[in-house]
Amino acid sequence: MNLLLSQLQPYPFERLKALFAGVTPNPALRPISLGIGEPKHATPSLVTDALTASATALPSGLAVYPATSGEPALRRACADWLQRRYGLSLDATTQVLPVNGTREALFAFAQTVVDPTRTGGARVVCPNPFYQIYEGAALLAGAQPHYVASDPARNFAVAWDTVPDAVWAQTQLLYVCSPGNPTGAVMPLDEWARLFALSDRFGFVIASDECYSEIYFRDEPPLGGLEAAARLGRTDFKNLLMFTSLSKRSNVPGLRSGFVAGDARLVQPFLLYRTYHGGAMSPVVQAASVAAWNDEAHVRDNREQYRAKFAQVTPVLEAVLDVRLPDAGFYLWAGVPPAWQGDDAAFARALWAQYNVTVLPGRFLAREVHGVNPGAGRIRMALVADTAECLEAAQRVARFAAEAQP
Ligand SMILES: Cc1ncc(COP(=O)(O)O)c(C=O)c1O
């Protein structure tokens, strides 16, 4: 067996199951989960229609292997979306590549980029808390993750300045998540400029995970990594690849569709890797993806649904918890009341027992570094269900937070 597998950590939801083991939730209340970040708004019919139409229209469509590089129509639709959303002109053939959702792509990209044999070892830098795939990708590529805490005092900006030069010197890949999961923080242009300067100095590649980019609460849409690069005159997107997805934008996590775009010198070896790995997208999924990327009306409607929901739910929780409307995404990242002395796991367990509401303890989404877990004392609440259900959950959480003692 691959010995590196033994370094993988249990997934947050496995840890949640263990935390709740032996506890019976209050049977008088129906269960509500704010645990998993799985979109629950309706999938737009234009996507399901395209899916079924292409499945029936393809005479021998399923009798041929799709190309790993994707159909030209899909790459064009992705490039056109980049143009409309960010004002960018990318070459659809050399700078864009479809992927089967960003999860697999974020993982596979580390296997493409990291050279574990390099003298001094390989490092992969990522935020803390973070999406756990970055860590597994780094470990299975033979690299050591270096976790960089997000700072609650600065709107959860990741404290990149704390990374020593000696670590940057070994870094081969940096994961950026903007808008962030779980914090919802969007990285501003000056931070991008600092990271690009570090990338130029130390030669590492930046993987920019942007799958929450279309769910936002300010007037201005979140700045994208490629957009930041272009604004700073880096029109070749040197050492930068962005990862985006239809899962959250179009409420299709089951479709498994996204794409990467950026530096052609990264896209080309990634395509090579994927050809061997088997990363081609089904033609049926490609047809549905073209329909989804080409339509913005459903995305605006989806965003309005989240805005209305967050406008109702956030004030209920703000009254009793350290929480506020994030820049973007569909999570609330809340501090537990002081009485719990930072024990987010105990808070989540007691909340489940007494009010039958599932939230994710923040410590499960982060790693302890020098004795500090930057997720400790916080909980993540995914507001993915409909407004009425999220509101009921928030009212229960608020009651619990106001009354319950550890
Ligand atoms: C930060 C982040 N990146 C990537 C993903 C993967 O999404 P998908 O594979 O559906 O594109 C998720 C899913 O929850 C996520 O939270």
Side-chain angles (χ1 to χ4, degrees), residues 37-38 100-104 106 131 133-134 177 179-181 209-212 244-248 252-253 256-258 330-331 380:
E38 181 180 71
N100 297 309
T102 43
R103 182 183 183 130
E104 66 89 358
L106 289 160
Y131 179 52
I133 297 304
Y134 311 151
C177 187
N181 172 4
D209 179 358
E210 305 182 11
C211 66
Y212 293 95
T244 191
S245 169
L246 290 174
S247 298
K248 278 88 178 162
V252 287
R256 312 313 301 131
S257 179
F330 53 48
Y331 302 108
R380 191 190 78 176

Side-chain angles (χ1 to χ4, degrees), residues 173-381:
L173 176 62
L174 164 66
Y175 284 107
V176 169
C177 187
S178 175
N181 172 4
T183 67
V186 171
M187 205 160 85
L189 189 64
D190 60 332
E191 273 186 56
W192 277 110
R194 280 213 296 283
L195 293 183
F196 292 145
L198 286 163
S199 166
D200 286 347
R201 187 169 155 212
F202 294 103
F204 58 79
V205 165
I206 303 176
S208 178
D209 179 358
E210 305 182 11
C211 66
Y212 293 95
S213 66
E214 303 315 291
I215 302 166
Y216 52 88
F217 303 100
R218 298 172 171 179
D219 292 340
E220 207 183 315
L223 178 68
L226 299 182
E227 187 185 13
R231 282 200 203 167
L232 295 165
R234 303 169 70 88
T235 46
D236 61 352
F237 312 114
K238 182 181 166 200
N239 273 336
L240 175 65
L241 203 65
M242 68 94 85
F243 294 67
T244 191
S245 169
L246 290 174
S247 298
K248 278 88 178 162
R249 175 187 179 271
S250 302
N251 296 311
V252 287
L255 188 68
R256 312 313 301 131
S257 179
F259 72 89
V260 301
D263 189 343
R265 287 158 301 186
L266 299 174
V267 172
Q268 191 265 332
F270 195 31
L271 173 58
L272 174 66
Y273 174 88
R274 298 178 65 74
T275 305
Y276 278 82
H277 187 75
M281 185 187 285
S282 154
V284 179
V285 174
Q286 292 195 52
S289 304
V290 170
W293 287 118
N294 283 341
D295 183 75
E296 279 307 313
H298 76 279
V299 183
R300 279 192 295 273
D301 175 63
N302 188 38
R303 185 159 53 241
E304 285 316 313
Q305 288 183 53
Y306 280 112
R307 286 183 168 194
K309 182 167 23 182
F310 273 70
Q312 287 195 54
V313 173
T314 314
V316 174
L317 293 166
E318 251 169 350
V320 284
L321 295 176
D322 169 20
V323 67
R324 62 193 160 117
L325 189 68
D327 295 337
F330 53 48
Y331 302 108
L332 287 176
W333 182 233
V336 300
W340 293 84
Q341 298 187 330
D343 195 344
D344 46 296
F347 181 92
R349 191 175 47 224
L351 171 68
W352 191 64
Q354 294 176 37
Y355 282 92
N356 214 341
V357 174
T358 303
V359 299
L360 202 56
R363 70 185 58 211
F364 292 179
L365 296 165
R367 295 285 174 257
E368 187 173 307
V369 179
H370 304 311
V372 179
N373 180 322
R378 295 201 164 263
I379 51 169
R380 191 190 78 176
M381 292 173 276

Side-chain angles (χ1 to χ4, degrees), residues 68-70 74-75 96-100 258-260 274 279 281 286:
T68 308
S69 56
L74 175 57
R75 293 166 80 127
V96 175
L97 191 61
V99 296
N100 297 309
F259 72 89
V260 301
R274 298 178 65 74
M281 185 187 285
Q286 292 195 52

Side-chain angles (χ1 to χ4, degrees), residues 313 316-317 355 388 390-401:
V313 173
V316 174
L317 293 166
Y355 282 92
C390 288
L391 201 54
E392 183 179 338
Q395 283 156 351
R396 291 191 209 170
V397 175
R399 225 174 307 141
F400 174 79

